[in-house]
């Protein structure tokens, strides 16, 4: 639902803005050079050297421009007292692989000063889910070509979390493409490109034009090089032009193939584990066999499957040895494992093949291995560790003894007014408040009570043309299911031959307040993030993932309480979801990579939100969505000095790249986040029952501008659509 804008104003920085730019330039320069050797021994390719030197020169040019400008007396005095404001912090980042991305010309150095209100209203992206309709088409390749493609992708940032089988399947679908000398593979500024390439034969040059000037060659691609991989994430405009120096043979993979292969592989893996392997595992308890299929519900089985990792052993490798202690449980996916005991010396007493398992006692406590297991052939196993299970599910010993502890759900005692039920003729329509995903939002006044509401008008033509009927009905169902003081309240749905109408309470946009202030205090940030947490607890307890957190999705009522205001991307989640959607600044790594996700994406988004509310910018903000995606996958966050230890620790715990280790996804759920020291002493019950004072109280809006054109003129061009859904209770 869109909301009322309360006099948004742009933030102007003046000389203070220049000072902030200087401080950020110095800090960014430090960030670029942090943890790097003075002798430059980390530079391994011309691409690396060109890219780093270009970034440094641009930053220094920016610094010199502001530093040499004549400052006012106030800005000069401020500069004399000011220290650099950022400290680079690594947030669970993978080890850097120099030269892995092979992007010699892309400039991702554009940064934003903390607290500068230069933002535009951001909208979510929603891409068609590829795994349902995708049909894999394997292209035959010579072994040396498969090896060339595999070596090109396996160390790349985008592919680093893909397992061995996934990488092999991705190599399967690369197709050959031929270009002649002087052919252009793609041009700087072109958008909509959806393919990534690996060079088999030939050489290509990379050219960049700055601000419409002449093109300069920035580097070359040759045999074994990967380029254009970020087109597998977004169709953003290209930052360079790539031209063939000679006739070239390339191999390419398209975005829908990449997402289809990865999504289907992960989906099949989860299905294999939850239906074939995990159900038949049992744990010994008082001479009984407690089978997983009887101990865990379907959602918990999917969670267990998500904790499972794959590991490969070569023929002759020892997997476990007799008498050693272990905390790892193994299930054989493929291959044969010999089992030995010391009493029989080198003669195996049995052989275990696919579907068999061993080491299950280690899930309960440290297990002294009773036998040695050795790979008779090449073997691939699924493994679970006790530490992972205890962290996310809980202690299996305690669960077997006492059962699963009940999940806490905080309930509000507020008595809310009854929902209203109106027809269109009961309402007087006013001017436009904003835009929704499928149309616009207008103010509407009930003729009987003269109370104002927000009326979202969803175009039936747009919905049907884009195949979004299920999405609209899903949003309606979720809005009707959730009844929480910090989630937008849908009163009723109506329709005519051209529109679907959702009638909801009308509120003020939080982003308008943020535009005026630039950023919020720590207390304000704590208050608003706590409201989001309580809303998340209600959603997640109903197996609903939100997926669209950002300041633009939050609203304030007249008393200043924070409300999640747009549930267009919310969805029921009993296992894993694979749809690529959300705001680019807030996407979790697992969404970008297409490996499947659950409600953990909401806690990643919360970490981004806390950072943005307090500093004024998102932590991974960049020149375009592609640059943002790179930063998200690297997981490096620069914290201003003003960020306190508790806030920094909370953000880092929420921005954990491994979703199975992310705060909020662990066994304590939302309560784990609420118990973090950042919220020490916070009155959760007072907030839930709206008994504590909000940071800002807002004046109710009593006037809305009239319609700019009569309804009959405005809607006459809208086509009539024969789609009439039933809106029940």
């Amino acid at each position: 639902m869109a909301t009322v804008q309360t006099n948004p104003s742009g933030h102007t920085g003046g000389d203070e803005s220049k000072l902030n730019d200087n401080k950020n330039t110095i800090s960014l320069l430090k960030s670029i050079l942090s943890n790097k050797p003075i002798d430059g021994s980390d530079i391994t390719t011309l691409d690396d050297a060109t890219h780093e030197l270009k970034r440094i020169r641009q930053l220094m040019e920016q610094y010199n421009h502001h530093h040499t400008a004549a400052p006012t007396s106030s800005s000069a005095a401020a500069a004399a007292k000011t220290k650099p404001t950022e400290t680079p912090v690594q947030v669970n980042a993978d080890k850097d692989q120099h030269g892995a991305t092979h992007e010699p010309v892309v400039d991702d150095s554009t940064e934003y000063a903390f607290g500068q209100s230069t933002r535009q209203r951001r909208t979510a992206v929603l891409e068609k889910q590829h795994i349902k309709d995708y049909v894999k088409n394997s292209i035959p390749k010579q072994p040396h070509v498969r090896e060339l493609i595999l070596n090109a992708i396996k160390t790349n940032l985008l592919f680093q979390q893909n397992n061995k089988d996934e990488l092999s399947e991705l190599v399967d679908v690369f197709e050959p493409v031929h270009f002649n000398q002087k052919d252009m593979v793609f041009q700087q500024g072109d958008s909509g490109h959806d393919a990534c390439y690996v060079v088999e034969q030939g050489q290509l040059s990379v050219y960049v034009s700055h601000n419409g000037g002449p093109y300069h060659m920035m580097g070359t691609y040759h045999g074994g090089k990967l380029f254009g991989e970020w087109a597998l994430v977004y169709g953003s405009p290209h930052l360079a032009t790539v031209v063939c120096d000679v006739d070239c043979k390339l191999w390419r993979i398209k975005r829908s193939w990449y997402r289809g292969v990865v999504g289907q592989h992960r989906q099949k893996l989860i299905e294999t584990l939850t239906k074939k392997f995990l159900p038949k595992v049992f744990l010994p308890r008082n001479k009984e066999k407690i089978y997983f299929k009887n101990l865990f519900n379907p959602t918990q089985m999917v969670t267990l499957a998500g904790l499972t990792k794959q590991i490969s052993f070569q023929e002759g490798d020892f997997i476990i040895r007799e008498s050693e202690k272990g905390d790892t449980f193994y299930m054989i996916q493929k291959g044969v494992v010999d089992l030995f005991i010391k009493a029989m010396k080198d003669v195996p007493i049995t052989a275990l093949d696919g579907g068999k398992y061993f080491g299950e006692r280690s899930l309960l406590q440290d297990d002294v291995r009773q036998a040695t297991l050795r790979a008779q052939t090449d073997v691939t196993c699924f493994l679970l560790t006790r530490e992972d299970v205890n962290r996310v599910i809980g202690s299996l010993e305690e669960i077997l003894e006492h059962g699963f502890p009940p999940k806490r759900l905080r309930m509000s005692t507020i008595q809310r007014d009854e929902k209203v039920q109106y027809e269109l003729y009961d309402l007087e329509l006013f001017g436009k408040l904003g835009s929704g995903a499928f149309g616009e939002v207008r103010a509407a006044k009930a003729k009987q009570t003269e109370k104002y509401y927000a009326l979202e008008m969803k175009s039936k033509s747009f919905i049907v043309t884009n195949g979004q009927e299920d999405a609209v009905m899903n949003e309606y169902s979720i809005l009707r299911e959730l009844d929480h003081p910090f989630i937008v309240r849908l009163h009723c749905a109506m329709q005519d031959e051209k529109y679907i109408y959702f009638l909801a309470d009308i509120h003020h946009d939080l982003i308008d307040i943020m535009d005026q202030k630039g950023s919020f205090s720590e207390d304000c940030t704590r208050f608003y993030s706590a409201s989001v947490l309580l809303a998340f607890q209600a959603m997640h307890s109903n197996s609903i993932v939100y997926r669209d957190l950002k300041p633009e999705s939050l609203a304030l009522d007249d008393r200043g309480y924070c409300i999640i205001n747009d549930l267009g991307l919310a969805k029921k989640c009993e296992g894993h979801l694979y749809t690529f959607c959300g705001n680019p600044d807030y996407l979790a790594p697992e969404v970008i990579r297409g490996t499947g996700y659950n409600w953990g994406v909401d806690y990643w988004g919360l970490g981004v939100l806390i950072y943005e509310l307090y500093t004024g910018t998102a932590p991974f903000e960049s020149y375009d969505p592609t640059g943002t995606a790179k930063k998200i996958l690297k997981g490096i966050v620069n914290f201003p000095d003003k960020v306190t230890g508790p806030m920094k620790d909370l953000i880092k715990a929420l921005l954990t790249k491994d979703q199975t280790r992310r705060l909020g996804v662990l066994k304590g759920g939302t309560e784990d986040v609420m118990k973090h020291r950042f919220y020490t002493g916070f009155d959760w019950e007072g907030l839930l029952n709206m008994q504590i004072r909000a940071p800002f109280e807002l004046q109710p809006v009593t006037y809305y501008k009239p319609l700019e054109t009569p309804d009959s003129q405005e809607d006459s061009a809208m086509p009539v659509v024969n789609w009439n859904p039933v809106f029940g209770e």
Side-chain angles (χ1 to χ4, degrees), residues 434-693:
S435 297
F438 305 116
E440 66 182 30
V441 182
R442 294 179 184 173
K445 183 172 69 173
K447 296 176 182 178
Q448 183 178 4
T449 64
E450 297 193 344
K451 182 177 179 179
Y452 285 98
Y453 297 91
L455 184 70
E456 185 174 5
M457 304 170 58
K458 299 175 181 287
S459 163
K460 285 187 174 182
S461 174
F462 183 90
I463 293 168
V464 172
T465 300
N466 291 277
Q468 294 298 308
E469 296 95 328
D470 289 344
V472 171
M473 297 308 293
N474 172 73
E475 181 183 4
Y476 172 78
S477 175
I478 287 175
L479 284 168
R480 295 293 289 184
E481 179 178 353
L482 295 173
D483 185 11
H484 192 276
F486 301 140
I487 298 174
V488 65
R489 195 180 193 203
L490 176 68
H491 286 279
C492 61
M494 301 161 277
Q495 63 181 307
D496 57 23
E497 58 188 7
K498 296 182 178 181
Y499 292 98
I500 299 291
Y501 302 89
F502 283 1
L503 188 72
D505 291 328
I506 198 165
H507 299 300
H508 310 264
D509 281 336
L510 176 67
I511 193 69
D512 291 341
I513 309 298
M514 193 171 178
D515 276 346
Q516 296 174 35
K517 294 185 171 295
S519 61
F520 294 115
S521 69
E522 182 170 305
D523 284 341
C524 286
T525 301
R526 185 178 293 107
F527 181 90
Y528 294 137
S529 63
S531 304
V532 171
L533 266 172
L534 289 169
F536 277 175
Q537 188 178 62
M539 291 184 192
H540 298 165
S541 67
N542 286 281
S543 301
I544 294 169
V545 183
Y546 180 53
R547 304 195 295 183
D548 193 22
L549 189 61
K550 57 185 183 294
E552 291 89 335
S553 299
L554 302 178
L556 303 179
D557 67 11
D558 291 340
R559 294 175 60 191
Y561 288 98
C562 185
I563 295 163
I564 290 182
N565 198 43
D566 185 352
L567 274 72
L569 293 183
K571 190 173 180 65
K572 282 280 189 178
C573 176
E574 302 294 345
H576 283 88
L577 302 174
Y578 296 88
T579 303
F580 183 85
C581 65
N583 182 271
D585 285 331
Y586 281 70
L587 294 179
E590 57 268 26
V591 178
I592 294 172
R593 287 193 165 109
T595 51
Y597 59 88
N598 56 21
W599 52 88
V601 300
D602 289 340
Y603 296 106
W604 175 279
L606 181 65
V608 178
L609 180 74
I610 292 171
Y611 185 101
E612 181 169 1
L613 292 180
Y614 188 57
T615 68
T617 59
F620 306 108
E621 201 166 42
S622 189
Y623 56 94
D624 75 345
T626 296
T628 299
K630 292 180 185 179
K631 291 184 176 184
I632 289 171
L633 295 189
K634 290 178 180 177
I636 299 175
V637 178
N638 295 311
F639 286 96
D641 285 345
K642 73 171 186 174
V643 178
T644 61
M647 178 185 282
K648 184 184 297 185
D649 184 70
L650 174 60
I651 292 172
K652 289 167 64 178
L654 293 168
L655 298 183
T656 298
K657 293 200 295 180
D658 182 350
Q659 60 181 321
T660 69
R661 295 179 176 273
R662 191 173 301 152
L663 189 65
V665 182
L666 311 183
K667 61 183 177 182
T670 312
E671 288 290 326
D672 282 346
V673 188
M674 294 178 177
K675 292 174 183 176
H676 190 276
R677 60 192 178 111
F678 176 69
Y679 295 106
T680 298
F682 189 79
D683 185 0
W684 291 100
E685 299 304 318
L687 173 61
L688 186 58
N689 296 309
M690 296 184 172
Q691 295 169 344
I692 60 177
R693 187 172 182 177

Side-chain angles (χ1 to χ4, degrees), residues 184 186-193 235-239:
M184 189 182 302
F186 50 73
Q187 185 171 8
Q188 182 177 346
D190 285 351
S191 58
H193 199 73
S236 301
H238 283 292
L239 300 178

Side-chain angles (χ1 to χ4, degrees), residues 7-37:
N7 300 320
S9 62
H11 180 83
T12 57
D15 291 316
E16 182 180 353
S17 176
K18 293 180 180 179
L19 177 61
N20 284 336
D21 284 342
N22 286 343
K23 290 155 58 181
N24 285 324
T25 301
I26 295 172
S27 299
L28 287 168
L29 184 59
K30 288 183 177 180
S31 177
I32 292 172
L33 300 177
S34 64
N35 301 319
K36 294 189 176 183

